[in-house]
């Protein structure tokens, strides 16, 4: 069984590989800000964190429906995912700029926040859509108390700039995290236990996706 990952996230790709799945990665080409803005305009309010990540996960998965890989239609399951960090009642996505990353670290330093990850899985076996399911999950992240030179060094590495919440759990940021409450893989943007549940809801078995030694 093939899994098509509608994401360019190296962390999601590595998480799947570590779990024995080599997905076919496809860039979804979704303009996230525009999708969220349109949804908020329609709702007349700001989206909550779980709503936002679920909306974007679905948008990414649906964006690659009908795509071809090496001239062949998609035959398998399509997974879209998105993440956001909620701290102090505010949603923190990717900071992009060093000054934004530092401000966020000064706020969350020695404290905690909730990392929300959205999942949308489309059954596209045989080259057509048979169904879709999704779910957003959360894990609470508790941070160590860093001194300012540590924060500056971490930001200078560039790693925090392109990840939700300005931190990682599986790379340079790992030593700065005291504890994760919930599925640890949720923090890298993909809850493996949730993905297994979604696969089973669509009538497939998780071991059928194992294609790596």
């Amino acid at each position: 069984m093939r899994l098509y990952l509608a994401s360019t996230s190296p962390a999601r790709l590595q998480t799947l590989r570590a779990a024995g799945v080599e997905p076919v990665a496809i860039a979804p080409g979704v303009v996230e800000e525009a999708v969220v803005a349109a949804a908020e305009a329609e709702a007349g309010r700001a989206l909550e964190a779980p709503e936002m990540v679920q909306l974007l996960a679905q948008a990414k998965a649906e964006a690659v429906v009908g795509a071809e890989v090496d001239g062949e239609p998609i035959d398998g399951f399509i997974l879209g995912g998105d993440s956001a960090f909620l701290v102090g009642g505010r949603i923190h996505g990717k900071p992009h700029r060093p000054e934004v990353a530092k401000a966020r670290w000064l706020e969350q330093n020695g404290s905690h926040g909730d990392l929300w990850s959205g999942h949308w899985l489309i059954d596209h076996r045989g080259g057509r859509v048979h169904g879709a399911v999704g779910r957003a999950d959360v894990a609470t992240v508790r941070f160590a108390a860093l001194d300012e030179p540590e924060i500056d060094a971490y930001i200078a590495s560039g790693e925090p700039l392109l990840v939700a919440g300005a931190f990682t759990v599986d790379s340079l940021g790992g030593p700065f995290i005291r504890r994760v409450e919930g599925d640890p893989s949720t923090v890298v943007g993909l809850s493996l236990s949730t993905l297994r549940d979604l696969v089973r809801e669509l009538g497939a078995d998780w071991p059928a996706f194992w294609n790596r030694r």
Side-chain angles (χ1 to χ4, degrees):
M1 192 75 66
R2 295 311 305 263
L3 181 67
Y4 297 82
L5 179 62
S7 172
T8 57
S9 164
R12 291 191 186 98
L13 179 60
Q14 184 55 41
T15 298
L16 287 167
R17 285 174 170 169
V21 180
E22 181 66 49
V24 178
I26 306 174
V30 170
V31 181
E32 299 181 14
E33 294 81 0
V35 172
V36 172
E40 290 184 335
E42 182 176 353
R45 59 175 177 82
L47 297 181
E48 301 289 337
E51 294 176 306
M52 185 183 76
V53 297
Q54 197 57 20
L55 170 73
L56 291 174
Q58 182 174 350
K60 292 174 184 178
E62 291 179 345
V64 305
V65 169
E68 293 187 348
V69 177
D70 296 328
E72 297 293 331
I74 290 175
D75 184 3
F77 288 74
I78 302 169
L79 174 65
D82 192 74
S83 299
F85 192 55
L86 185 67
V87 59
R90 291 182 297 278
I91 297 174
H92 288 175
K94 301 170 185 176
H96 296 293
R97 302 194 310 276
E99 64 272 19
V100 176
K102 183 165 184 177
R104 292 182 181 176
W105 261 101
L106 290 174
E107 179 180 2
Q108 66 201 32
N109 192 28
S111 186
H112 67 278
D114 293 327
L115 197 294
W116 282 93
S117 285
H119 312 75
W120 193 257
L121 188 68
I122 299 174
D123 181 350
H124 204 278
R125 286 176 285 187
R128 62 187 183 90
V129 175
H130 299 278
V133 290
R135 194 169 86 202
D137 280 304
V138 64
T140 298
V141 181
R142 299 191 180 278
F143 296 99
L146 279 61
D147 56 36
E148 195 160 347
E150 281 184 306
I151 293 174
D152 290 339
Y154 185 42
I155 293 169
S157 75
E159 181 179 274
L161 304 185
L162 297 177
V163 289
F167 71 92
T168 65
V169 69
D170 57 342
S171 190
L172 296 180
F176 305 141
I177 295 173
R178 288 289 186 195
R179 187 166 70 254
V180 173
E181 298 164 5
D183 184 342
S185 60
T186 302
V187 184
V188 297
L190 168 60
S191 167
L192 290 171
S193 61
T194 294
L195 177 56
R196 173 183 171 272
D197 290 344
L198 298 179
V199 163
R200 290 168 63 85
E201 283 184 44
L202 291 174
D205 293 319
W206 177 248
F209 290 88
W210 291 340
N211 60 354
R212 285 177 60 88
R213 290 177 181 266

